[in-house]
Amino acid sequence: MSAPNIKLAANLTLDVADARPPTKPEANAQAQVGPVPIPHEHKVHPTNPGGENATLTFVGTATTLLEWRGLRIMTDPNFLHAGDHVHLGPGVTAKRLTNPSIPLNQLPPIHLVLLSHYHEDHFDKLVEDRLRRDLPIVTTPHAAHHLTTAQYKGEPFTAVTALDTWEAADIIARDAKFRVTAMPGKHVQTGMMEMVNKAIGALPPTNGWMVELFGAERKPYRIYISGDTLMVDELKTIPQNFPHVDLMLVHLGGTTIPAPNIPLLMVTMDAEQGIQLVHLINPDVTIPIHYDDYDVFKSPLKDFQDLVTQAGLDQKVVYLNRGDQYSFKV
Ligand SMILES: [Zn+2]
Protein backbone atom coordinates (compact mmCIF):
# COMPACT_ATOMS: atom_id res chain seq x y z
CA MET A 1 0.00 0.00 0.00
CA SER A 2 1.56 3.31 -1.00
CA ALA A 3 0.75 6.65 0.57
CA PRO A 4 -1.53 8.92 -1.43
CA ASN A 5 -0.27 12.42 -2.20
CA ILE A 6 -1.21 15.11 0.25
CA LYS A 7 -3.81 17.49 -1.15
CA LEU A 8 -4.01 21.05 0.14
CA ALA A 9 -7.73 21.54 0.75
CA ALA A 10 -7.93 24.72 2.82
CA ASN A 11 -6.11 27.87 3.88
CA LEU A 12 -7.11 29.36 7.21
CA THR A 13 -6.13 32.50 9.04
CA LEU A 14 -6.71 32.52 12.77
CA ASP A 15 -7.03 35.57 14.99
CA VAL A 16 -4.69 34.85 17.91
CA ALA A 17 -5.54 38.25 19.39
CA ASP A 18 -9.06 36.91 19.94
CA ALA A 19 -9.18 36.60 23.73
CA ARG A 20 -12.84 35.68 24.01
CA PRO A 21 -13.71 32.54 25.97
CA PRO A 22 -14.35 29.53 23.73
CA THR A 23 -17.85 29.20 25.17
CA LYS A 24 -21.02 31.10 24.24
CA PRO A 25 -21.68 34.35 26.13
CA GLU A 26 -24.80 32.91 27.78
CA ALA A 27 -22.74 29.97 29.04
CA ASN A 28 -20.18 32.30 30.57
CA ALA A 29 -22.15 33.59 33.52
CA GLN A 30 -19.66 31.98 35.90
CA ALA A 31 -16.77 31.93 33.48
CA GLN A 32 -13.37 32.70 34.90
CA VAL A 33 -11.45 32.96 31.69
CA GLY A 34 -7.74 33.08 32.16
CA PRO A 35 -4.40 31.64 31.19
CA VAL A 36 -3.84 27.89 31.07
CA PRO A 37 -3.96 26.77 34.70
CA ILE A 38 -0.69 26.03 36.44
CA PRO A 39 0.19 22.45 35.55
CA HIS A 40 0.11 19.81 38.26
CA GLU A 41 3.40 18.46 37.04
CA HIS A 42 5.84 19.73 34.45
CA LYS A 43 7.61 17.30 32.10
CA VAL A 44 10.26 17.87 29.43
CA HIS A 45 12.11 15.77 26.87
CA PRO A 46 13.46 12.74 28.77
CA THR A 47 16.97 12.82 27.27
CA ASN A 48 17.37 16.14 25.46
CA PRO A 49 15.70 18.96 27.43
CA GLY A 50 16.28 22.68 26.89
CA GLY A 51 14.96 25.58 24.82
CA GLU A 52 11.31 24.71 25.43
CA ASN A 53 8.96 27.15 23.67
CA ALA A 54 5.72 25.16 23.33
CA THR A 55 3.51 23.20 25.69
CA LEU A 56 0.99 20.41 25.64
CA THR A 57 -1.42 20.22 28.58
CA PHE A 58 -3.39 17.01 29.15
CA VAL A 59 -6.97 17.81 30.22
CA GLY A 60 -8.39 14.26 30.06
CA THR A 61 -9.68 11.60 27.59
CA ALA A 62 -8.25 12.92 24.28
CA THR A 63 -8.56 16.57 25.29
CA THR A 64 -5.27 18.44 25.18
CA LEU A 65 -4.23 22.08 24.85
CA LEU A 66 -1.34 22.73 22.50
CA GLU A 67 0.20 26.16 22.91
CA TRP A 68 2.83 27.77 20.69
CA ARG A 69 3.56 31.40 19.76
CA GLY A 70 0.37 32.73 21.31
CA LEU A 71 -1.75 30.18 19.47
CA ARG A 72 -3.83 27.66 21.43
CA ILE A 73 -5.26 24.52 19.84
CA MET A 74 -7.66 22.24 21.72
CA THR A 75 -8.07 18.60 20.68
CA ASP A 76 -11.24 16.52 21.10
CA PRO A 77 -13.04 18.57 23.78
CA ASN A 78 -14.64 16.35 26.41
CA PHE A 79 -15.59 18.12 29.63
CA LEU A 80 -17.99 15.73 31.33
CA HIS A 81 -17.31 14.69 34.91
CA ALA A 82 -17.06 11.39 36.77
CA GLY A 83 -20.46 9.69 36.80
CA ASP A 84 -21.70 11.36 33.60
CA HIS A 85 -22.68 9.14 30.68
CA VAL A 86 -22.02 9.34 26.96
CA HIS A 87 -23.94 7.69 24.15
CA LEU A 88 -21.58 5.84 21.77
CA GLY A 89 -23.94 4.13 19.34
CA PRO A 90 -27.29 2.40 19.20
CA GLY A 91 -27.92 1.17 22.75
CA VAL A 92 -24.32 1.75 23.85
CA THR A 93 -23.45 4.09 26.67
CA ALA A 94 -20.30 4.58 28.69
CA LYS A 95 -19.70 6.10 32.11
CA ARG A 96 -16.99 8.66 32.71
CA LEU A 97 -14.73 7.72 35.61
CA THR A 98 -12.54 10.84 35.82
CA ASN A 99 -12.80 14.62 35.85
CA PRO A 100 -11.23 16.97 33.31
CA SER A 101 -8.35 18.94 34.82
CA ILE A 102 -10.08 22.23 33.90
CA PRO A 103 -13.85 22.87 33.84
CA LEU A 104 -15.26 23.97 30.48
CA ASN A 105 -16.17 27.43 31.80
CA GLN A 106 -12.61 28.12 32.94
CA LEU A 107 -10.88 27.43 29.66
CA PRO A 108 -8.43 30.01 28.35
CA PRO A 109 -9.10 31.47 24.89
CA ILE A 110 -8.88 28.77 22.20
CA HIS A 111 -8.09 29.60 18.57
CA LEU A 112 -8.77 26.25 16.94
CA VAL A 113 -10.40 22.94 17.79
CA LEU A 114 -9.07 19.78 16.17
CA LEU A 115 -11.82 17.16 16.37
CA SER A 116 -10.85 13.60 15.36
CA HIS A 117 -14.45 12.38 15.04
CA TYR A 118 -18.01 13.04 16.10
CA HIS A 119 -18.36 10.76 19.10
CA GLU A 120 -19.49 11.84 22.55
CA ASP A 121 -16.30 10.92 24.40
CA HIS A 122 -14.54 13.40 22.06
CA PHE A 123 -17.23 16.06 21.63
CA ASP A 124 -19.83 15.66 24.34
CA LYS A 125 -23.30 17.19 24.52
CA LEU A 126 -22.18 19.77 27.10
CA VAL A 127 -19.42 20.92 24.76
CA GLU A 128 -21.78 20.89 21.78
CA ASP A 129 -24.23 23.03 23.73
CA ARG A 130 -21.76 25.54 25.17
CA LEU A 131 -19.04 26.23 22.60
CA ARG A 132 -19.49 29.48 20.74
CA ARG A 133 -20.62 28.91 17.18
CA ASP A 134 -17.82 30.87 15.47
CA LEU A 135 -15.01 28.88 17.10
CA PRO A 136 -12.86 27.46 14.25
CA ILE A 137 -13.06 23.65 14.11
CA VAL A 138 -11.12 21.30 11.81
CA THR A 139 -12.62 17.83 11.60
CA THR A 140 -13.85 14.95 9.41
CA PRO A 141 -16.43 15.55 6.66
CA HIS A 142 -18.87 13.44 8.72
CA ALA A 143 -18.45 15.58 11.84
CA ALA A 144 -18.49 18.78 9.79
CA HIS A 145 -21.86 17.79 8.36
CA HIS A 146 -23.30 17.31 11.84
CA LEU A 147 -21.81 20.52 13.20
CA THR A 148 -22.87 22.77 10.34
CA THR A 149 -26.37 21.55 9.60
CA ALA A 150 -27.91 22.80 12.79
CA GLN A 151 -29.14 19.43 13.89
CA TYR A 152 -28.34 20.44 17.44
CA LYS A 153 -30.81 23.02 18.81
CA GLY A 154 -30.82 24.78 15.45
CA GLU A 155 -27.47 26.39 16.13
CA PRO A 156 -24.94 25.44 13.48
CA PHE A 157 -21.22 25.97 13.93
CA THR A 158 -20.07 28.52 11.38
CA ALA A 159 -16.28 28.07 11.04
CA VAL A 160 -15.89 24.35 10.38
CA THR A 161 -13.28 22.99 7.97
CA ALA A 162 -13.67 19.40 6.77
CA LEU A 163 -10.55 17.41 5.93
CA ASP A 164 -10.76 13.97 4.42
CA THR A 165 -7.85 11.54 4.80
CA TRP A 166 -4.62 12.97 3.29
CA GLU A 167 -6.15 16.42 2.89
CA ALA A 168 -4.29 19.30 4.51
CA ALA A 169 -5.04 22.80 5.74
CA ASP A 170 -2.34 25.48 5.87
CA ILE A 171 -2.99 27.71 8.84
CA ILE A 172 -1.51 31.07 9.71
CA ALA A 173 -1.98 32.65 13.11
CA ARG A 174 0.17 35.80 13.31
CA ASP A 175 3.67 34.37 14.02
CA ALA A 176 2.54 30.77 14.07
CA LYS A 177 2.51 28.92 10.76
CA PHE A 178 1.40 25.36 10.73
CA ARG A 179 -0.18 22.66 8.63
CA VAL A 180 -2.74 20.07 9.68
CA THR A 181 -3.06 16.93 7.56
CA ALA A 182 -5.77 14.33 8.11
CA MET A 183 -4.24 10.91 8.76
CA PRO A 184 -5.96 7.57 8.20
CA GLY A 185 -7.75 6.01 11.15
CA LYS A 186 -10.29 3.21 11.58
CA HIS A 187 -12.47 2.23 14.52
CA VAL A 188 -13.29 -1.08 12.86
CA GLN A 189 -11.06 -3.55 11.01
CA THR A 190 -11.51 -3.75 7.25
CA GLY A 191 -13.89 -6.49 6.14
CA MET A 192 -17.12 -7.86 7.49
CA MET A 193 -17.33 -5.70 10.61
CA GLU A 194 -16.64 -2.61 8.55
CA MET A 195 -19.60 -3.44 6.32
CA VAL A 196 -21.83 -4.09 9.31
CA ASN A 197 -20.75 -0.83 10.86
CA LYS A 198 -21.36 1.14 7.66
CA ALA A 199 -24.83 -0.34 7.43
CA ILE A 200 -25.88 0.55 10.96
CA GLY A 201 -23.80 3.70 11.23
CA ALA A 202 -22.70 2.86 14.78
CA LEU A 203 -19.15 4.14 14.74
CA PRO A 204 -18.37 7.39 12.97
CA PRO A 205 -15.42 7.76 10.58
CA THR A 206 -12.35 9.11 12.30
CA ASN A 207 -9.19 11.01 11.43
CA GLY A 208 -5.77 11.10 12.93
CA TRP A 209 -3.79 14.31 12.53
CA MET A 210 -0.30 15.33 11.56
CA VAL A 211 0.30 18.81 12.94
CA GLU A 212 3.44 20.45 11.55
CA LEU A 213 4.69 23.57 13.30
CA PHE A 214 6.99 25.70 11.18
CA GLY A 215 9.51 27.33 13.50
CA ALA A 216 12.94 28.78 12.81
CA GLU A 217 14.36 25.48 11.60
CA ARG A 218 13.87 24.31 8.07
CA LYS A 219 12.24 21.10 9.23
CA PRO A 220 8.84 21.48 10.88
CA TYR A 221 8.16 20.07 14.35
CA ARG A 222 5.76 17.20 13.73
CA ILE A 223 3.07 16.06 16.11
CA TYR A 224 1.14 12.95 15.12
CA ILE A 225 -2.18 12.41 16.90
CA SER A 226 -3.49 8.90 16.27
CA GLY A 227 -7.20 9.55 16.83
CA ASP A 228 -9.38 6.58 17.80
CA THR A 229 -8.02 3.91 15.52
CA LEU A 230 -7.04 0.30 15.50
CA MET A 231 -3.67 -0.82 14.14
CA VAL A 232 -4.96 -1.10 10.56
CA ASP A 233 -2.88 -1.45 7.37
CA GLU A 234 -3.70 2.12 6.31
CA LEU A 235 -1.50 3.43 9.13
CA LYS A 236 1.53 1.90 7.41
CA THR A 237 1.29 4.62 4.76
CA ILE A 238 1.94 7.36 7.36
CA PRO A 239 5.75 6.91 7.64
CA GLN A 240 5.97 6.98 3.84
CA ASN A 241 4.95 10.62 3.86
CA PHE A 242 6.26 11.42 7.35
CA PRO A 243 9.44 9.46 8.05
CA HIS A 244 10.26 11.65 11.04
CA VAL A 245 7.78 12.44 13.83
CA ASP A 246 8.83 14.45 16.90
CA LEU A 247 5.88 13.79 19.18
CA MET A 248 3.10 11.21 19.02
CA LEU A 249 -0.12 11.36 21.02
CA VAL A 250 -1.57 7.87 20.95
CA HIS A 251 -5.21 7.17 21.85
CA LEU A 252 -5.06 3.94 23.87
CA GLY A 253 -7.65 2.39 26.17
CA GLY A 254 -8.64 -0.63 24.11
CA THR A 255 -12.17 0.80 24.04
CA THR A 256 -14.46 -2.23 24.04
CA ILE A 257 -18.16 -1.91 23.37
CA PRO A 258 -21.02 -4.30 22.70
CA ALA A 259 -21.67 -4.66 18.97
CA PRO A 260 -24.52 -6.19 16.98
CA ASN A 261 -24.39 -9.99 16.68
CA ILE A 262 -21.08 -10.38 18.48
CA PRO A 263 -20.55 -9.82 22.18
CA LEU A 264 -17.78 -7.24 22.22
CA LEU A 265 -15.89 -5.10 19.76
CA MET A 266 -12.61 -3.33 20.45
CA VAL A 267 -12.50 0.03 18.66
CA THR A 268 -9.30 1.74 19.88
CA MET A 269 -5.78 0.46 20.39
CA ASP A 270 -4.95 -1.59 23.42
CA ALA A 271 -1.43 -1.79 24.88
CA GLU A 272 -0.19 -4.29 22.29
CA GLN A 273 -1.41 -2.30 19.30
CA GLY A 274 -0.09 0.86 20.94
CA ILE A 275 3.44 -0.50 21.11
CA GLN A 276 3.13 -1.67 17.49
CA LEU A 277 2.25 1.91 16.56
CA VAL A 278 5.29 3.21 18.46
CA HIS A 279 7.47 0.87 16.39
CA LEU A 280 5.74 1.86 13.15
CA ILE A 281 5.84 5.64 13.58
CA ASN A 282 9.07 5.63 15.64
CA PRO A 283 8.49 9.09 17.11
CA ASP A 284 11.13 10.88 19.16
CA VAL A 285 8.65 11.05 22.09
CA THR A 286 5.31 9.31 22.66
CA ILE A 287 2.61 10.47 25.08
CA PRO A 288 -0.33 8.11 25.70
CA ILE A 289 -3.76 9.72 26.14
CA HIS A 290 -7.37 8.38 26.15
CA TYR A 291 -6.49 5.54 28.53
CA ASP A 292 -8.65 5.47 31.69
CA ASP A 293 -11.47 8.01 31.48
CA TYR A 294 -14.41 5.70 30.66
CA ASP A 295 -15.59 2.32 31.87
CA VAL A 296 -15.35 1.01 28.28
CA PHE A 297 -11.56 1.63 28.28
CA LYS A 298 -10.47 -1.91 29.10
CA SER A 299 -6.72 -1.80 28.47
CA PRO A 300 -4.97 -0.20 31.46
CA LEU A 301 -2.05 2.17 30.95
CA LYS A 302 0.07 -0.15 33.09
CA ASP A 303 -0.05 -2.80 30.34
CA PHE A 304 1.35 -0.28 27.86
CA GLN A 305 4.01 0.86 30.35
CA ASP A 306 5.14 -2.76 30.79
CA LEU A 307 5.46 -3.25 27.03
CA VAL A 308 7.37 0.04 26.70
CA THR A 309 9.82 -1.13 29.36
CA GLN A 310 10.17 -4.56 27.72
CA ALA A 311 10.94 -2.85 24.41
CA GLY A 312 13.64 -0.72 26.08
CA LEU A 313 11.75 2.47 25.20
CA ASP A 314 11.33 4.05 28.65
CA GLN A 315 13.40 7.07 27.55
CA LYS A 316 11.07 7.71 24.60
CA VAL A 317 7.70 7.79 26.38
CA VAL A 318 6.39 10.56 28.64
CA TYR A 319 3.41 9.84 30.90
CA LEU A 320 1.01 12.63 31.76
CA ASN A 321 -1.72 12.60 34.36
CA ARG A 322 -4.67 14.90 33.81
CA GLY A 323 -3.47 18.44 34.46
CA ASP A 324 0.19 17.69 33.68
CA GLN A 325 2.05 19.59 31.00
CA TYR A 326 4.81 18.58 28.57
CA SER A 327 7.06 21.40 27.37
CA PHE A 328 9.04 20.99 24.16
CA LYS A 329 11.19 22.88 21.70
CA VAL A 330 9.88 23.71 18.24
ZN1 LIG B 1 -12.69 7.60 22.10
Side-chain angles (χ1 to χ4, degrees), residues 125-154:
K125 288 288 175 231
L126 176 79
V127 162
E128 183 152 356
D129 187 32
R130 304 276 171 85
L131 285 187
R132 63 180 159 79
R133 269 30 200 173
D134 60 349
L135 190 63
I137 300 175
V138 172
T139 189
T140 59
H142 168 270
H145 174 76
H146 279 271
L147 297 175
T148 57
T149 52
Q151 294 180 22
Y152 189 78
K153 292 191 178 174

Side-chain angles (χ1 to χ4, degrees), residues 108-282:
I110 303 290
H111 307 110
L112 180 76
V113 171
L114 264 185
L115 175 61
S116 65
H117 64 303
Y118 190 67
H119 221 185
E120 285 185 33
D121 59 326
H122 296 255
F123 198 84
D124 60 63
K125 288 288 175 231
L126 176 79
V127 162
E128 183 152 356
D129 187 32
R130 304 276 171 85
L131 285 187
R132 63 180 159 79
R133 269 30 200 173
D134 60 349
L135 190 63
I137 300 175
V138 172
T139 189
T140 59
H142 168 270
H145 174 76
H146 279 271
L147 297 175
T148 57
T149 52
Q151 294 180 22
Y152 189 78
K153 292 191 178 174
E155 292 180 286
F157 285 86
T158 58
V160 182
T161 301
L163 293 182
D164 217 338
T165 315
W166 295 109
E167 288 185 339
D170 278 343
I171 305 174
I172 292 182
R174 198 163 53 197
D175 304 331
K177 275 192 194 141
F178 64 105
R179 168 177 274 207
V180 174
T181 309
M183 295 290 100
K186 270 191 178 170
H187 260 325
V188 185
Q189 288 287 1
T190 314
M192 192 57 202
M193 275 317 298
E194 189 180 29
M195 282 158 60
V196 171
N197 185 51
K198 269 206 180 120
I200 61 167
L203 291 161
T206 182
N207 279 349
W209 304 112
M210 190 68 72
V211 182
E212 296 177 277
L213 308 175
F214 293 90
E217 306 221 353
R218 240 178 37 157
K219 273 195 324 187
Y221 186 94
R222 286 197 183 127
I223 305 172
Y224 168 56
I225 307 170
S226 72
D228 276 17
T229 183
L230 296 171
M231 187 67 201
V232 292
D233 279 348
E234 285 84 344
L235 301 191
K236 293 177 186 161
T237 59
I238 295 172
Q240 295 173 20
N241 271 324
F242 300 102
H244 180 81
V245 169
D246 294 280
L247 176 63
M248 174 165 84
L249 304 183
V250 55
H251 293 203
L252 293 178
T255 310
T256 303
I257 60 173
N261 305 323
I262 57 163
L264 290 168
L265 178 66
M266 191 173 85
V267 298
T268 68
M269 291 193 192
D270 61 2
E272 264 167 45
Q273 295 194 14
I275 202 80
Q276 285 172 26
L277 187 70
V278 172
H279 287 301
L280 173 71
I281 303 292
N282 191 25

Side-chain angles (χ1 to χ4, degrees), residues 16-30:
V16 288
D18 187 348
R20 285 179 297 157
T23 42
K24 294 190 283 194
E26 59 269 35
N28 292 337
Q30 279 108 40

Side-chain angles (χ1 to χ4, degrees), residues 60-61 78 80-86 94-100 121 291-298 322:
T61 322
N78 177 210
L80 298 179
H81 283 72
D84 291 342
H85 285 79
V86 289
K95 185 167 91 170
R96 182 143 189 187
L97 306 174
T98 63
N99 290 321
D121 59 326
Y291 55 77
D292 69 349
D293 299 277
Y294 284 88
D295 60 355
V296 289
F297 293 2
K298 299 294 189 195
R322 279 164 292 279

